[in-house]
Amino acid sequence: MRLIHTVYEPAGEGPHPTLIAMHGFGANALDLLGLAPYIADGRFMVICPQGPMEVPIGPTRGYAWFPIRMGASPDRAAIDDANKMLTEFLNVALQKYPVDRKKLVVLGFSQGGMMAYRLAIRNPSKFAALVALSTYFPPELKDEVSDPAALEALPTLVQHGRADEMIEIARGRASVESIRALNVPLIYREYDCGHEITAEGLIDLSNFLTEKVLEPIVKP
């Protein structure tokens, strides 16, 4: 597998409901793994790939999915390369690990959320749900919808902090309107916090995954 990754696997042989979880800029494959035992009581396998680009973070180093260019448009070639690597990673992970393919969820925080949006928009039929945390919806994705019917059946949770200093709340709210314009079944939650995942947000995430993926009223 081309991307370094970490895995949390619940007890039992599986197949397991599974989260593909992408970290934000400057973090690494361990960043979201610590949440795994607390998400829906640890019933999800959580697979956390690491971004391919190394970035300096003070005396240490972190990782990213694509470079941030202040005052300039994003590097589309780098984003497309990262999306290709993630797609390849996902396909291999589905073969390597005991994933319940009917209960596969894509999740991303911050820059990882932008990658989660890309995976879901381009392949909505692969996923049982989409989760976007403290991120924003890249406007160009509205023209890349591959399967409108599948997208309109994809339960989606968006969470954002009102005091987010990295991706301001106005940007998050604008993203929500863009997603709603695509007729995505969306749940949106705001919190009194910054660029982070709170205990309250984790509870809402667990409830969402339980209701929409683990114990849906309408079975897939």
Side-chain angles (χ1 to χ4, degrees), residues 7-30:
V7 180
Y8 167 89
E9 186 172 353
E13 295 183 1
H16 304 292
T18 300
L19 280 169
I20 303 293
M22 277 82 72
H23 64 78
F25 185 91
N28 57 44
L30 293 168

Side-chain angles (χ1 to χ4, degrees), residues 110-196:
S110 193
Q111 192 182 72
M114 300 175 213
M115 301 308 299
Y117 276 135
R118 279 182 165 78
L119 286 178
I121 288 293
R122 294 175 177 177
N123 303 281
S125 61
K126 279 191 175 184
F127 303 109
L130 162 66
V131 179
L133 308 175
S134 301
T135 187
Y136 74 92
F137 183 82
E140 68 273 9
L141 286 183
K142 67 181 186 299
D143 299 320
E144 298 186 23
V145 176
S146 63
D147 186 342
L151 192 61
E152 291 173 12
L154 182 66
T156 298
L157 174 67
V158 176
Q159 297 183 347
H160 214 103
R162 297 186 188 95
D164 194 324
E165 69 285 0
M166 301 296 294
I167 301 175
E168 62 274 15
I169 188 64
R171 207 170 187 185
R173 290 169 180 168
S175 296
V176 166
E177 295 309 310
S178 296
I179 300 164
R180 284 177 173 155
L182 297 174
N183 297 317
V184 175
L186 175 69
I187 295 174
Y188 177 54
R189 296 286 183 266
E190 291 184 2
Y191 305 94
D192 291 323
C193 68
H195 196 64
E196 59 190 306

Side-chain angles (χ1 to χ4, degrees), residues 8 10 25 29 44 56 61 65 82 91 94 99 103 112 117 153 164 205:
Y8 167 89
F25 185 91
F44 277 84
R61 61 187 178 185
W65 299 101
N91 291 337
L94 291 176
V99 175
K103 296 181 179 180
Y117 276 135
D164 194 324
L205 170 60

